[in-house]
Structure formats: structure tokens, C-alpha cells
Amino acid sequence: AANYHDVEAARAAALKGCDAARKPDGNPCVIAAEIRPKGWEPRALQLSADATEGLRSDYGRRGGPRAMAISESTGRWVVRKGPDAAAQALDACASASGASDCRLAVEDR
């Protein structure tokens, strides 16, 4: 599983996908490998590669109110700008992912 915001979510998605595909009488799924960048360490805020690029390009450096919402369980992310950006980002994240765990990762007011 790739493009999740943290290793735990990627592990859970990989195991869920494997368990759904395995035969009922087969061996249980296990994580065989984790691919992470050299020197990687967990941090308080972790973003997938796609969300990191979105933060750089879509979020930008200037421009008034803006917010980025992410879902840990699905890896989805959304950037919204303008008045009420935080609420719009949370709503769009939940709508796009169907997840109930969307949260604000970054917000400028």
C-alpha cells in the first residue's frame, strides 16, 4: 500500500487488501517489507508523497485563508482556499474519501 500519510495506515491497508484476496484456508497475511526514504523517522505531521507535493504546489506560500485536510485511513487529501477554507477542506475530504477521520493538517487564517 502506498501514498498513505503514515506507516501504520499503510500497514493496515496492505493487510486488509491481502486478507481480502487470500483464500480462506491460506496462511494469514503478514507485512513482508516496508519501503521508506533513507533517514526517515516518524514525525507529528506526516504526509504522503502526493500530499507533500500538493502542499508545495496547491497550498502555496501566500494568499489568505487556506487549509489542507487529510484522511489517515484512506490517504486522501484536499486543499481549499478562501473564506471558510477549513470547513470546506474537511467537507471535501470526507466527500472524496468516504472517511470519517478527516482532520486539518495545515491551516492559515
Side-chain angles (χ1 to χ4, degrees):
N3 258 332
Y4 284 83
H5 302 299
D6 66 38
V7 174
E8 291 300 321
R11 284 181 193 137
L15 288 172
K16 181 178 178 180
C18 178
D19 284 335
R22 75 181 176 93
K23 295 179 182 177
D25 58 346
N27 291 328
C29 295
V30 297
I31 302 295
E34 292 179 0
I35 314 287
R36 295 179 274 185
K38 185 176 182 178
W40 177 89
E41 292 185 25
R43 297 181 179 162
L45 173 63
Q46 299 180 115
L47 297 174
S48 68
D50 285 348
T52 299
E53 181 56 32
L55 186 63
R56 288 183 184 132
S57 63
D58 297 347
Y59 195 87
R61 294 177 185 236
R62 303 175 203 217
R66 57 207 159 157
M68 173 184 254
I70 63 172
S71 165
E72 299 289 345
S73 64
T74 66
R76 298 285 280 186
W77 59 274
V78 175
V79 171
R80 291 292 183 264
K81 296 180 181 179
D84 207 24
Q88 290 179 19
L90 288 168
D91 288 345
C93 176
S95 294
S97 66
S100 61
D101 68 337
C102 290
R103 67 177 177 90
L104 290 178
V106 182
E107 178 184 14
D108 289 332
R109 297 178 187 175

